[in-house]
Amino acid sequence: MKIAVCVSHVPDTATKIVIGSDNKSIDPSGVTYIVNPYDEFAIEEALKTKEKLGGETVVISVGKDANKETLRKALAMGIDNAVLLKDDNDRDSIGIAKALAEEIKNQAAELVFFGKQSVDYDNSIIGQLTAELLGYNCVSVVVDLKIDGNKITAEREIEGGREVVETSLPAIITAQKGLNEPRYASLKGIMASKKKVIEEKAAAASDKVVEVLRMKKPPMKQPGRILGTDKTAVAELVRLLKEEAKVI
Amino acid sequence: MEKETMTHQKGGSFLLQSTDPMEVFTPEDFTEQQKMIKQTTSGFVDNEVMPKANEIDDQKEGLSVSLLKKAGELGLLSVDIPEEYGGMGLDKTSSMLVAENIGRTGAWAVSHGAHTGIGTLPIVYFGTEEQKKKYLPKFATGEWISSYSLSEPGSGSDALSARTTAKLTGDGKHYVLNGTKMWLSNAGFADVYITFAKIDGDKFSCFIIEKDFPGVSTAAEEKKMGIKGSSTRQLFLENALVPVENLLGEIGRGHIIAFNILNVGRFKLAAAVIGAAKKVISNSVQYAKTRNQFNQPISNFGLIKQKLAEMVIRTYVGESMVYRTAGLIDRILENIDPNNEDASKQTLKGIEEYAVECSILKVYCSEILDYVVDEGVQIYGGYGYSEDYPVARAYRDSRINRIFEGTNEINRLLIPGMLLKRSMKGELGLLTAAMKLSGELLALTPQEEDTDDIFVTEKRLINNAKKIAIMTLGAAAQKYMDKINDEQEVLSDISDVIMETYAMESVLLRVEKKLKSAITDEILVDIVKTFVNDAISRIEISARNILTAISDGDTLRTYLTVLKRQTKYTPINTVQRRRKVADSLIQKGNYEF
């Protein structure tokens, strides 16, 4: 079976984000980029599935040359092949999904893993969009997965509990934390990845349907207020929680 | 000063020439692979080893070994083992990156270092084909753990006075070894001990001893001040029967193995202590930000900032020295064909070329860590003295680094000793430079300074520091001739001048290179300027000690005039600069420079 993993290259979660001078994008200088953390679960699940069922794995990413770093990391963890769908311009979600769908079709991958979301734009949508474009089944936010022949049994995280669903191949699975424990790239894997070639192609053209108009930083957190130190302050606290904070 | 034209720089030649910053290897130059190796090591250490620090310190049965095996699966035991014996066969920069990132585990880093360094490398570099095939693949996975000892109860620094003997049996098939070895790291769980004995009482030789050989046993665990989680025992050899094929290297040439392995051990130790220092800094700043006194975090106070800043400055300097040297070694090793039968010999020769730098790293970086842990405890205050906080352990663990792999005293004697030896052999022009200099120094007029260069003063001072090093070394050699080894205090002061010079130049070159890549980072400029400001004063004091010890009267007065001129410098405001360095650390919350 051909197994694909789609990954994105995102700013490190510990990075302090600065908005660029165009007010539409972040200033990339001094930002460390990493493999999207949820994609690491997707990579691990692809590797585990291959170890169990056999087949071939391919990792795909849409974007700039810099994404190769993330592709290389996936190769070092043990993925067989890598494809970069090049586009130097930022795309909207559907644009990314279209490029990925075309390549997945091209690769004839039956099982595709995504992270449940990218921690950059946080749209949590690309896996589902890609499934729709390909006509694949899709299970999102998966924390446990079993594949038996054509049958897939997946546990997904829902508010306050878990839901067990069944579907069949071909399918797209988006991975949630807890699905597995991603492996470290071994030194052997790292050295082997050096010899592998990352295939480069132009990403399939796509018109933007969503445009970023402006980026804003969330308002600074207001400092706390002390209303009083004894029970006489309770009435005022309740009033503020109702009227100002509107939480009760 | 003349420019080097050869493909590699000669060891010790930094004193004789200037170096182009673009030629220097720095942590900013790590390749994609090296960065991934760092990530793997860091991830493994933070998730698998650090959470178990307390259990490791209690020597929980089997824990250190199981962690070594896990490290083996990732390739972290075999960076220096050639590929054909199941290893990675990687460059020394990668090897140092692994050592650095494991360094913060303290005791476990000693277990790892003893196994992969002194325990494995003697076979890598001196083993026969059969020995390599038998032991290295098992060492690479951690299936077998190795251990090493040069010391005995009565011989430490004076290693060659060892008393353990070896005698060939009548049938010529075995050696019978008798004696006691000291301080074997990993001895409690090791499968193999690499150690030394004198064949027929006089030919110092190296042996590979397996734990199941008859007559081999270990003593109870030593009760140590620090690195408690590492196993340390004596090894008893009582008519121990060692097959002749387990002789390592040549009969009577054991010292070659011992000294070469120490060389490698030294630069890896330096990398490990820098890793440990970074962790202590990160812990200390995080503590200082959350500990409130007088209604504010103590990180607001000048004296805490001063400590944090100096911890950062010295660690950054040490890191610059470590990777500069790694780059030098790798440049000389990259031309060696690993399939050549002389590859091991050439590799050792390449590393030995930088024996002076290796000794500098060992001494200087182990003292950086000692400074950092000491101030770390101070920042934690009373809590720093409690074992409930991690800094107490770091403090205890640090102290051994000034003792093993050759004490800092022995290494301080080695640095000028090796330089003089090379000069006598004509390999390094230090003595000729000293003679040329003696005329030049007095005639010197203040140089025009290029004001466009932000480091113009620092460059002048570094250049002058080299001259002071050459002048004092030359003067001492001239005065004491072949009796110079009796003047340990003078040699040690000369070493300090040389080390401070290498330190100043390494950090300056790194920052210059970084600034050339268009990244402006004012904090790094503050680090360089503050460090050079302080180092040049330390150099002046050391040089004064040397000159007053070796001369008097008019000669002394002349020397002191020269010294004063060479160290002439208008001091800068280091209070303000240190505050800036500290503020940057406090804002980051971690050592990230």
Side-chain angles (χ1 to χ4, degrees):
Chain A
M1 179 167 53
K2 188 77 167 270
I3 304 162
V5 199
C6 301
V7 296
S8 55
H9 190 60
V10 300
D12 191 334
T13 43
T15 299
K16 277 216 163 74
I17 298 293
V18 178
I19 296 173
S21 53
D22 63 355
N23 280 324
K24 287 183 187 179
S25 57
I26 67 161
D27 179 358
S29 60
V31 176
T32 324
Y33 283 80
I34 56 166
V35 181
N36 175 41
Y38 293 107
D39 295 349
E40 291 203 25
F41 303 114
I43 295 168
E44 177 63 31
E45 202 59 24
L47 291 170
K48 277 173 70 179
T49 308
K50 182 194 155 176
E51 280 159 10
K52 219 179 289 166
L53 306 175
E56 201 186 350
T57 51
V58 60
V59 58
I60 310 166
S61 187
V62 182
K64 306 183 177 78
D65 268 337
N67 291 29
K68 283 185 187 165
E69 207 180 300
T70 278
L71 291 170
R72 192 73 69 191
K73 175 89 190 281
L75 291 174
M77 285 172 77
I79 298 288
D80 300 313
N81 301 303
V83 181
L84 173 65
L85 302 171
K86 263 198 85 168
D87 190 348
D88 286 333
N89 301 309
D90 285 336
R91 291 185 164 223
D92 58 5
S93 301
I94 189 74
I96 295 173
K98 278 182 181 166
L100 289 172
E102 175 142 329
E103 183 58 22
I104 290 163
K105 211 186 294 167
N106 186 29
Q107 296 274 348
E110 285 177 88
L111 179 61
V112 187
F113 291 99
F114 283 74
K116 76 165 173 98
Q117 75 193 87
S118 280
V119 301
D120 46 6
Y121 291 100
D122 283 319
N123 285 321
S124 313
I125 196 178
I126 294 178
Q128 293 89 323
L129 286 175
T130 312
E132 186 62 27
L133 290 168
L134 287 165
Y136 280 22
N137 297 320
C138 182
V139 189
S140 61
V141 203
V142 171
V143 287
D144 191 65
L145 184 73
K146 282 184 192 70
I147 299 169
D148 187 8
N150 214 32
K151 195 176 92 180
I152 294 173
T153 314
E155 266 184 54
R156 43 190 316 272
E157 227 174 52
I158 54 170
E159 185 73 39
R162 284 184 172 194
E163 180 181 48
V164 182
V165 299
E166 211 178 88
T167 185
S168 60
L169 290 171
I172 283 180
I173 304 291
T174 80
Q176 162 70 316
K177 184 178 177 166
L179 176 60
N180 53 45
E181 204 50 60
R183 67 194 64 189
Y184 304 102
S186 73
L187 269 55
K188 209 163 237 151
I190 293 170
M191 296 321 287
S193 78
K194 198 174 153 184
K195 291 171 195 140
K196 291 182 186 168
V197 181
I198 295 173
E199 194 186 341
E200 280 182 59
K201 302 178 178 176
S206 165
D207 291 329
K208 269 194 182 174
V209 295
V210 176
E211 196 183 342
V212 177
L213 298 180
R214 210 161 34 251
M215 279 190 181
K216 289 192 283 196
K217 282 236 166 190
M220 289 278 275
K221 213 173 129 191
Q222 298 300 316
R225 259 182 291 164
I226 294 171
L227 301 172
T229 52
D230 53 32
K231 61 185 177 184
T232 58
V234 173
E236 176 66 358
L237 175 66
V238 171
R239 188 189 70 81
L240 287 172
L241 287 174
K242 267 189 181 147
E243 293 171 16
E244 205 180 291
K246 294 181 178 130
V247 290
I248 54 172
Chain B
M1 299 204 175
E2 52 195 285
K3 271 257 173 201
E4 180 67 76
T5 49
M6 295 193 319
T7 51
H8 70 264
Q9 281 186 3
K10 272 195 160 313
S13 67
F14 67 92
L15 286 172
L16 289 167
Q17 68 201 23
S18 53
T19 302
D20 178 350
M22 300 318 280
E23 300 259 296
V24 173
F25 187 80
T26 74
E28 286 69 50
D29 301 319
F30 291 142
T31 63
E32 205 179 327
Q33 271 75 40
Q34 285 164 342
K35 282 184 206 157
M36 280 202 261
I37 289 172
K38 180 182 165 179
Q39 276 176 13
T40 290
T41 315
S42 254
F44 173 73
V45 161
D46 290 340
N47 299 321
E48 313 282 334
V49 188
M50 294 305 264
K52 302 195 181 89
N54 287 333
E55 292 163 73
I56 292 172
D57 240 31
D58 293 340
Q59 293 206 1
K60 187 180 163 194
E61 183 78 29
L63 179 57
S64 283
V65 176
S66 74
L67 288 171
L68 283 170
K69 291 200 163 95
K70 272 192 188 173
E73 283 170 25
L74 291 175
L76 298 175
L77 299 183
S78 56
V79 179
D80 297 294
I81 297 177
E83 279 180 90
E84 52 188 309
Y85 307 109
M88 302 305 308
L90 291 176
D91 52 275
K92 298 298 165 216
T93 303
S94 299
S95 174
M96 278 154 105
L97 256 178
V98 170
E100 186 201 318
N101 285 282
I102 287 178
R104 59 180 175 269
T105 64
W108 192 75
V110 173
S111 300
H112 175 270
H115 172 65
T116 59
I118 51 183
T120 297
L121 297 178
I123 299 180
V124 169
Y125 294 132
F126 296 94
T128 61
E129 188 58 29
E130 289 70 32
Q131 288 167 343
K132 288 181 190 176
K133 274 192 188 142
K134 179 171 182 192
Y135 295 103
L136 295 181
K138 289 193 167 78
F139 289 176
T141 57
E143 184 186 340
W144 279 10
I145 302 299
S146 188
S147 172
Y148 170 99
S149 174
L150 184 56
S151 301
E152 293 189 2
S155 65
S157 295
D158 185 11
L160 299 185
S161 70
R163 287 225 186 104
T164 301
T165 58
K167 210 171 164 42
L168 198 60
T169 51
D171 60 5
K173 286 185 179 158
H174 289 87
Y175 285 101
V176 181
L177 270 65
N178 276 291
T180 304
K181 291 287 166 182
M182 283 299 286
W183 315 124
L184 283 89
S185 293
N186 293 347
F189 45 75
D191 303 278
V192 173
Y193 317 98
I194 311 272
T195 194
F196 299 84
K198 285 178 174 165
I199 294 174
D200 303 328
D202 60 356
K203 293 180 272 297
F204 194 70
S205 309
C206 189
F207 294 89
I208 307 168
I209 298 174
E210 292 178 21
K211 72 164 191 283
D212 295 329
F213 287 170
V216 176
S217 61
T218 60
E221 283 292 328
E222 299 286 349
K223 293 194 167 43
K224 305 189 294 289
M225 175 195 285
I227 55 167
K228 287 175 185 286
S230 70
S231 164
T232 310
R233 298 185 183 200
Q234 285 184 318
L235 174 70
F236 298 133
L237 302 166
E238 291 158 304
N239 289 321
L241 266 189
V242 179
V244 285
E245 58 268 24
N246 277 37
L247 172 78
L248 184 59
E250 294 168 45
I251 292 175
R253 305 275 288 165
H255 59 288
I256 304 284
I257 300 180
F259 297 149
N260 273 298
I261 295 308
L262 278 173
N263 245 342
V264 183
R266 282 170 192 153
F267 69 66
K268 282 213 198 180
L269 179 145
V273 295
I274 292 303
K278 287 183 184 176
K279 182 71 187 171
V280 173
I281 293 172
S282 296
N283 283 344
S284 301
V285 70
Q286 283 155 21
Y287 179 81
K289 282 170 77 169
T290 49
R291 169 71 175 170
N292 281 302
Q293 290 291 281
F294 307 105
N295 294 321
Q296 53 184 310
I298 61 169
S299 58
N300 283 0
F301 297 121
L303 281 178
I304 299 294
K305 286 188 184 183
Q306 191 179 42
K307 292 179 199 308
L308 288 171
E310 188 60 14
M311 289 155 84
V312 168
I313 291 169
R314 293 197 194 185
T315 302
Y316 189 83
V317 168
E319 188 188 33
S320 311
M321 297 163 80
V322 163
Y323 289 104
R324 175 189 187 185
T325 313
L328 288 172
I329 295 173
D330 277 334
R331 196 170 306 161
I332 210 170
L333 298 188
E334 72 188 3
N335 295 322
I336 297 172
D337 174 5
N339 300 317
N340 187 317
E341 57 176 311
D342 270 348
S344 292
K345 258 190 199 153
Q346 289 172 9
T347 302
L348 285 173
K349 207 164 159 266
I351 299 171
E352 201 206 348
E353 180 67 42
Y354 299 107
V356 171
E357 284 83 353
C358 289
S359 282
I360 291 176
L361 289 185
K362 194 275 170 178
V363 175
Y364 207 82
C365 294
S366 63
E367 291 177 7
I368 288 171
L369 180 60
D370 252 9
Y371 172 81
V372 168
V373 295
D374 189 72
E375 291 289 43
V377 169
Q378 201 66 18
I379 289 169
Y380 275 81
Y383 292 105
Y385 209 67
S386 159
E387 291 290 342
D388 289 342
Y389 287 78
V391 76
R393 177 162 53 226
Y395 182 86
R396 288 185 286 99
D397 288 351
S398 169
R399 192 60 182 81
I400 187 61
N401 290 298
R402 281 164 54 200
I403 299 170
F404 59 21
E405 306 283 348
T407 62
N408 284 14
E409 286 68 25
I410 288 289
N411 274 290
R412 277 192 162 89
L413 302 178
L414 282 173
I415 293 164
M418 289 187 283
L419 287 170
L420 282 173
K421 215 154 119 194
R422 287 182 189 196
S423 299
M424 308 275 202
K425 281 206 244 165
E427 292 169 0
L428 203 62
L430 278 175
L431 293 176
T432 19
M435 282 199 298
K436 238 175 78 189
L437 210 56
S438 59
E440 189 188 308
L441 282 174
L442 277 171
L444 221 64
T445 48
Q447 283 166 347
E448 204 64 55
E449 296 197 337
D450 169 10
T451 44
D452 284 347
D453 185 343
I454 47 165
F455 292 126
V456 63
T457 312
E458 287 71 27
K459 284 180 185 167
R460 172 175 59 82
L461 291 171
I462 290 167
N463 232 349
N464 290 353
K466 293 179 185 183
K467 290 179 188 162
I468 295 168
I470 294 167
M471 175 179 85
T472 51
L473 185 63
Q478 202 181 8
K479 159 104 182 178
Y480 299 115
M481 312 286 277
D482 53 351
K483 296 275 186 295
I484 196 163
N485 287 340
D486 298 336
E487 305 302 322
Q488 295 194 338
E489 302 91 325
V490 168
L491 287 172
S492 173
D493 274 323
I494 295 173
S495 263
D496 285 343
V497 174
I498 294 169
M499 289 192 296
E500 295 286 3
T501 306
Y502 194 61
M504 287 192 296
E505 189 179 54
S506 300
V507 71
L508 176 99
L509 290 169
R510 174 180 178 186
V511 172
E512 262 205 300
K513 185 173 187 183
K514 194 163 180 187
L515 296 184
K516 275 191 183 165
S517 67
I519 298 166
T520 38
D521 194 338
E522 268 183 53
I523 298 302
L524 300 182
V525 175
D526 290 324
I527 287 177
V528 172
K529 290 195 176 267
T530 307
F531 183 76
V532 171
N533 179 84
D534 292 6
I536 201 71
S537 304
R538 292 194 291 263
I539 286 177
E540 192 178 0
I541 294 170
S542 300
R544 228 186 279 148
N545 291 341
I546 300 161
L547 297 171
T548 48
I550 63 174
S551 61
D552 52 20
D554 283 348
T555 323
L556 175 61
R557 268 191 290 279
T558 313
Y559 275 140
L560 291 176
T561 311
V562 170
L563 179 64
K564 202 163 202 172
R565 233 183 254 178
Q566 296 298 325
T567 54
K568 190 162 172 258
Y569 167 61
T570 313
I572 55 168
N573 181 349
T574 53
V575 171
Q576 180 217 353
R577 286 176 194 273
R578 280 206 177 83
R579 281 189 186 178
K580 275 165 65 188
V581 174
D583 287 341
S584 162
L585 172 71
I586 291 163
Q587 195 222 333
K588 292 178 209 268
N590 262 313
Y591 180 97
E592 276 164 30
F593 289 89

